[in-house]
Amino acid sequence: MVFFQEIFDRIRGGLSSVQGGHEESIKAKFEQFKKVLRSNQVALEIIADMGEKLSGDYIFDKRYIEESYEKLSEAVLKSVNALNALCDNKYKDLYEVYDRVTRHLLEILKQREDRNGPPVIPLKAVTRSNNAIVGGKAKHLAKIIRDLELPVPDGFVITTRAYHDVIAYSGLAPKIDKLEGLIASPVIDSHEIEDLRREIQREISRLDPPPRLLDDIAGALEQMDFKDMDRPHLAVRSSAQEEDMDFSFAGQFDTVLNVRARPNDIFLAYRKVMASLFGKHVIEYRRTVLEGEGQMSIAALCQLMVNARSSGVLFTIDPLDSQSEDIVIVGNWGQGEAVVDGKMPTDTFRVSRKGGLKIVSRQVSRKKEALYLSAVGGLEKKNVPEELWDKPCLSDEEVIHLAGMGLRLENYFKRPQDVEWVVNLRDELLILQSRGLLLKEQDHIERSLLNLDEKYEIISKGEGLTAQQGIGCGPVKIVRTMKDLEDIPEGAVLVSPRDMSKFVQVMKKVSAIVTEVGTPVSHMATICRELGVPCLVNVKDILSKVHDGMIVTVDAEDQKIYKGKVKELLAYRNSRAMNVFESRDFRLLRRFLNAVAPLNLVDPLIEDFKMENCETYHDILRFIHEKAVQELIALGKDEKRLLKGNITRRLELSIPAGILCVDLGGGISEDAPQDHCELKHITSIPFRALLKGMTAPGVWHTQVMDVSLRDMVSSMINAPTDALDGQYSGHNIAIITREYVNLSLRFGYHFNIVDAYCSDFPRDNHIYFRFLGGATDLTKRSRRARLIAEILRAYDLNVKTKGDVVTARLGNMQRKDMEYILDILGRLIGFTRQLDVHMENDAQIDRYLQAFLNGQYDVSIR
């Protein structure tokens, strides 16, 4: 494998050949911008290919992952190089970010990512960057706290970093390495393995904590909320690397309950959890299920011990009948260990999902005994008060509330869930654990998929592209604007005119996403693959075939959308969702992609969109694309450079726009005169679309507007300083190529910028729009800004306003849709050009909004 430093040196060594400094020509600048687009596209295609491999339909090995890493790291580095060449090395610090992310990826490939990070971390402080060191159980609970805000007992994690510190401090590493070699050996010596694992367990039970570990535990205890408890106790549970993820390890590791909240007591309990990693059954489980996986480590989840009134488990699907639509809840009085160990009678509740949650059956057992907290630590069996023997351990309201929480967990994790729950003495329901539910795949489920097209009405068949495979079902929610995301229901199928990375806000709630426009290599598609959200893009005319609330089933694997709920497909999904992908290469690729594909930098209009906040290659690519676009926008400000050398041509239009064109290649036809051009000569795709809108009948008004002296003085005093720095000093300039336009306009005290790239590759396409100024006082100008913002939002642009300044962005669209939006922007420029004069009150905002949306452009002069 070619490691990152070799690639880094080789690629960065060529950077000097593309650095042109400030003397670089405008055309060369644009060529650098295209290099950014090309390298970004290559990188995103590699990420998409790796994501597709995780569908389970492809065979690959570790060499594929290593080669993909080499190509990907090289492509990302080329993007960093191209951005710095474009921006005169303005983003040199991005190399340090690239190095940091690349080092982390190498740790994953070496399977050493569990050795870095803090030894102890509060559960509520666990983020994606800590996933490798907190284990599967803690990782899931941290997500439940962070993303779903469901109640979970407070606690902290003794991480796998601490495990390796303890092993190194004790001198046990050589013996553990020897044991791992015996486990991995094709010739198994059971007696030697048994003797060595026993010896390791004995030594762990006697070892001392390494320096500072007890202090770290004490610090974590100080941060916990014990709610004035006199003698708080904790539960110390295992959280191994694969535990509760694709492999349940159910009952394999030790749990120590009711441990006093003191550092030394917790460390003694932690030793027992550590030792259980070398238990006989764990080793047999690893040899059977995780053959060839390599050395495992273990973290410990230390949580507040809940004094339980009732507790038990919930299955979001009946594990004995994957076609059932019932949620199954099992519980007892006291602590849940009595339930999971199957040693005492339990109550069973079944809740139907049909038409809202509804209890369909109750089986209440006589419960004379239960497990409760012991005063000396641990649990003890006690008699249940007689009046509770035949009483359900949950009220009907609690059953429905718990079932709703289970559905939220299933929607979030995109698979049926096995949930452990508890109700405390204050009747508060808390989640202790949530893991994927293992369902056996049955031959009859696959056979039932035959002839589905004859049994169910098909809304769409063979249309679009698969961005993420999978099956989802739920009520349609049509999303046309960002506001539509605010009330999206749990489990909905999101249907939209185009894909948007901001859908990440609701991806954990929806069951599937379908768009009329999009690409499998978009930011949204990458996030869908990361979160496992079934997604179809480019599904023609889907919006005309569905409506809000309509139940549909999306089969993103066969590219079909059915009307109604297709039970057979959902049963197939549920049975397959927990098919254990035994391949260690599969699990390695998934861990690798989890460190590559997540997108944290979603919105360039918020403060967090900063270089230092890049955590993944995807973040770096998103940052590079945005800054490259900004550089092109800034290029339009350098009027002196643009006018130098007589490279401009006057554009003659039917409206008095006074635009000078700078053609960098392919923007003006060859038969145009040398000194001027007309609309018929414009071959620039985005510029022609803009001009089409600007020259549309009725849009451009040439009447003289009555401006009061007060308004005129106000506009002169408050004219934005950045509007007078050369960008708007008197010329209207369009920098164009066949696929690009940067248009800077000034009409009196009104200023506009439109920067757009419009090609046949949706991923590269973008629109940037900026408006400011006016010839009236700030109140009127601000009203016009609000009007412009509302119009832009109506066409699904991402908008930000401040006073009389409006900024909007859009991207990742098909060429025909880009041309349509650019036409709209051209109309908007003409329609609102002098409109601030009429903005006497807030009612005018809605008046002109409706007029524009209805194409009544002459309303402004009535």
Side-chain angles (χ1 to χ4, degrees), residues 18 24 27-47 71-72 74-83 85-86 521 621 624-625 628-629 632 737 739 757 759 761-766:
V18 295
E24 187 177 18
K27 195 167 185 177
K29 281 273 190 182
F30 189 75
E31 288 302 314
Q32 287 300 327
F33 174 74
K34 291 197 290 186
K35 284 185 179 180
V36 170
L37 295 183
R38 285 195 295 269
S39 53
N40 271 22
Q41 183 72 14
V42 169
L44 288 168
E45 287 175 355
I46 295 169
I47 294 173
K71 295 175 184 176
L72 179 60
E74 185 168 346
V76 175
L77 186 53
K78 283 183 176 179
S79 288
V80 177
N81 287 341
L83 178 67
L86 173 66
V521 298
L621 295 170
I624 287 172
H625 186 272
V629 169
L632 282 195
T737 71
E739 298 171 329
Y757 191 87
S759 69
F761 300 97
R763 173 64 189 82
D764 294 341
N765 294 341
H766 76 262

Side-chain angles (χ1 to χ4, degrees), residues 28-262:
K29 281 273 190 182
F30 189 75
E31 288 302 314
Q32 287 300 327
F33 174 74
K34 291 197 290 186
K35 284 185 179 180
V36 170
L37 295 183
R38 285 195 295 269
S39 53
N40 271 22
Q41 183 72 14
V42 169
L44 288 168
E45 287 175 355
I46 295 169
I47 294 173
D49 184 73
M50 289 190 289
E52 193 174 5
K53 295 295 187 292
L54 289 182
S55 67
D57 295 334
Y58 299 88
I59 297 175
F60 59 90
D61 56 14
K62 188 176 181 181
R63 184 58 192 155
Y64 164 79
I65 304 172
E66 292 172 345
E67 289 177 348
S68 296
Y69 157 74
E70 292 167 8
K71 295 175 184 176
L72 179 60
S73 61
E74 185 168 346
V76 175
L77 186 53
K78 283 183 176 179
S79 288
V80 177
N81 287 341
L83 178 67
N84 275 290
L86 173 66
C87 303
D88 299 322
N89 285 326
K90 187 188 302 182
Y91 299 104
K92 289 188 293 185
D93 291 346
L94 194 56
Y95 288 111
E96 295 181 10
V97 176
Y98 170 86
D99 287 348
R100 168 169 53 80
V101 175
T102 303
R103 283 194 298 270
H104 179 58
L105 293 177
L106 279 173
E107 290 294 318
I108 293 174
L109 292 180
K110 296 175 183 176
Q111 296 181 289
R112 295 174 59 89
E113 72 270 29
D114 64 336
R115 299 167 188 260
N116 300 314
V120 179
I121 184 169
L123 183 58
K124 58 192 173 188
V126 173
T127 63
R128 182 186 285 119
S129 62
N130 307 124
N131 284 346
I133 62 173
V134 298
K137 186 178 296 179
K139 171 186 172 182
H140 278 194
L141 285 178
K143 286 184 174 182
I144 292 170
I145 294 170
R146 182 178 66 246
D147 297 334
L148 296 181
E149 298 182 347
L150 292 178
V152 172
D154 195 15
F156 59 89
V157 184
I158 304 176
T159 68
T160 56
R161 156 71 187 275
Y163 167 83
H164 288 291
D165 288 348
V166 170
I167 295 302
Y169 183 71
S170 67
L172 272 172
K175 291 182 180 179
I176 292 174
D177 290 343
K178 181 179 179 182
L179 177 64
E180 294 293 343
L182 291 172
I183 294 172
S185 174
V187 180
I188 301 299
D189 188 333
S190 300
H191 293 294
E192 188 174 4
I193 289 176
E194 177 66 14
D195 291 343
L196 187 53
R197 73 149 198 92
R198 283 175 177 268
E199 182 180 350
I200 292 171
Q201 281 192 314
R202 283 194 299 270
E203 294 196 29
I204 288 176
S205 67
R206 297 193 294 262
L207 55 81
D208 295 322
R212 294 200 57 78
L213 181 56
L214 294 183
D215 291 339
D216 290 335
I217 294 174
L221 286 170
E222 290 176 1
Q223 296 183 53
M224 289 185 64
D225 182 8
F226 291 119
K227 295 183 179 178
D228 301 322
M229 298 173 62
D230 293 332
R231 295 191 301 170
H233 286 65
L234 303 183
V236 181
R237 307 174 187 271
S238 63
S239 185
Q241 287 169 300
E242 297 287 349
E243 189 178 6
D244 288 357
M245 294 173 70
D246 279 333
F247 304 93
S248 70
F249 281 92
Q252 302 298 313
F253 300 115
D254 285 350
T255 293
V256 187
L257 301 176
N258 211 18
V259 179
R260 287 183 296 182
R262 300 193 303 199

Side-chain angles (χ1 to χ4, degrees), residues 297-320:
S297 56
I298 194 167
L301 177 61
C302 307
Q303 288 180 280
L304 186 66
M305 190 73 205
V306 178
N307 198 355
R309 185 207 79 189
S310 310
S311 52
V313 297
L314 173 149
F315 303 117
T316 60
I317 292 290
D318 187 343
L320 301 179

Side-chain angles (χ1 to χ4, degrees), residues 480-491:
R480 297 184 185 274
T481 68
M482 294 302 299
K483 189 173 179 60
D484 294 331
L485 294 176
E486 295 175 2
D487 59 349
I488 197 161
E490 198 81 35

Side-chain angles (χ1 to χ4, degrees), residues 347-360:
D347 298 338
T348 301
F349 309 88
R350 299 183 74 92
V351 180
S352 173
R353 303 168 178 241
K354 294 180 181 178
L357 298 175
K358 179 174 59 178
I359 299 174
V360 293

